Amino acid sequence: MKCFNCGSFLYEGDTCNVCGADVSMFKKIVKESNALYNKGLEYAKDRNMSRAVQCLEVALKMYKNNVNARNLLGLVYYETGEYTLALAQWVLSKNIQPENNLANEFIDNFQDKRSELDRINSALKKYNKAVSYAHQGSYDLAEIQLKKLLNDTPNIVKGHQLLALLLIRKNKLADAKVALRKAEKIDAGNPMTISLQTAVMDEIKEEEKDLSPGEIKAKRSAEAPEEERAPLSGDDVIIPESNYKERNPIAMAILQTIIGVIIGAAIVFFIVTPAKTKSARAELASVKTDYENQISTLNARIAELEGRKETSDEKSVTEIDNYKNLIEALNYFANEDYTKGLAAAEKIDIDKVEDADFKSLYENSIAARMATLGDDLYDQGIYAYESGNYETAADAFYRSYEYNKEQNDDSLFLAASSYWALGNDARARELFELYTTEFPEGYRIDEAYYNLEQIPANASGTTTEDNAEEAPAEEYVEEAPAEEAPAEEY
Amino acid sequence: MINFDEEIQKFHPALEISDVEDAIKTENAISDLTDLMMSVMNSKQEVNQTDSIKME
């Protein structure tokens, strides 16, 4: 509460702390104004708007800055169709207390909703026109205008009252009664409404005075109010009555539920399931690809292991054969059967042997023996060659060369000569060429070249007794053994 | 019985929204008890001042 004199806040006590004015009376006035506001509020809650207006107006005459009373008065005016007065109260209220004031909301509602403002303005214009028609005596026009107005804006109390008055004039008492009942619903304590209602009831009683109860009932049903129906305008559309009847709501509900379930199932079947299936397929494909990759890796591993196994098997077989041949060769050598021993030794593939003991045994027993045997075979070859047995000589010489390749260049030359003597020119040429390649500084190199010139380049491998004897190589072979000391010994 | 002509004269045109300014002015012009009290207090002060001048 503010001091009426200086506007400062008032505390307890009867004087203002700032200006020293006596505020005891002022406080009583404000208190009384608030009491009237409370009373007005109670009336408004009971929809006795006229009494509420009376109380609130007195409250404001006591203390015009009573914001609550002013706001409520505006609201009551608004409810009864006094829109302009309502707006005026709220504007004043806002002027008194600009902040934290309900009136702000009410005014904003007016200003924000342009259509609402237009509707209210149009309603007020219609009402004024109806009043004007009524004053001029155009009661029917006034009635039509009011019915339109109340159809759009049903809370204008004065409109209902004027309509009721016009209906009473036309002796449409039942309709007038309805109009007054609507006015009463908005403002229960309106003196004019009560007055008109009393008059209407008196008129009705007067008319029904001489009638029996049945006649009264028939009369009332005949006069059943057409009031609820809105007046027709030029823009209204009349819809013919339809034979359509609302179906059983329970059956409809069940049917709708079933349709809903079917639609839901269809959505799940056609949309959700394919999406899930697609996702599952993609996942499956991914898993399948992973497994295929793993399988291919494992297959590769298996192939690799099998390859290793085969290699290992081959190696094992070769090693076993080498051991067998070594034992066989040593056995033959022990029995002095050198031919078979050598044949067995030749089968040993020493290059593939990794065992150091095996190699040592081979070098000490077999290789050394083979070298010795090379010399023996050379001697055998010389003996056969001199005997004219070129075939044996060729074999012996070549084997001698084989057993000691590095040293037996002479064996190779004589082997070639033996083949030449046999008429196997191709083999002879082959071995002479081998000689020139292997022993380019051999002491028979000139002879080898000479013999190669003598042997035709396209020499064949035919062998005959006659041409063997006529072989030119024989001349050299005859000479060669003569020069060799060991050959003479044989 | 209602006197229609008498009753119909009780109905007056409503204030339209465009008339709100006039309504505000009218409403604001109404004085309340506090105004009356201020007026009384001012009058009382004036009387007191006049009396004191006369006494002097």
Side-chain angles (χ1 to χ4, degrees), chain A residues 61 64 84 125 128 199 203, chain B residues 1-2 14-16 32-33:
Chain A
K61 275 178 185 169
K64 63 182 176 186
T84 310
K125 281 186 189 331
N128 290 343
E203 285 289 326
Chain B
M1 186 62 193
I2 294 168
L15 287 173
E16 294 181 14
D32 60 354
L33 279 180

Side-chain angles (χ1 to χ4, degrees), chain B residues 3-24:
Chain B
N3 184 344
F4 179 77
D5 293 329
E6 195 180 308
E7 292 293 328
I8 204 83
Q9 293 306 318
K10 292 179 186 172
F11 290 90
H12 303 288
L15 287 173
E16 294 181 14
I17 298 294
S18 55
D19 302 325
V20 72
E21 200 174 333
D22 298 332
I24 291 167

Side-chain angles (χ1 to χ4, degrees), chain A residues 71-84:
Chain A
N71 289 344
L72 183 59
L73 182 60
L75 204 58
V76 171
Y77 278 143
Y78 187 87
E79 193 63 21
T80 53
E82 300 282 0
Y83 300 112
T84 310

Side-chain angles (χ1 to χ4, degrees), chain A residues 378 397-398 401 404-417 427-452 455 480 484:
Chain A
Y378 179 82
F397 282 134
Y398 189 74
Y401 163 72
N404 198 352
K405 284 183 179 176
E406 292 175 358
Q407 296 175 4
N408 283 350
D409 59 325
D410 202 33
S411 298
L412 179 60
F413 183 86
L414 289 173
S417 298
R427 179 64 177 159
R429 187 175 180 80
E430 182 187 345
L431 292 181
F432 277 132
E433 283 175 348
L434 183 63
Y435 183 90
T436 57
T437 310
E438 293 291 322
F439 306 105
E441 293 177 358
Y443 76 98
R444 289 180 183 267
I445 189 69
D446 296 334
E447 287 178 60
Y449 281 119
Y450 178 79
N451 290 344
L452 281 170
I455 300 169
E484 297 285 336

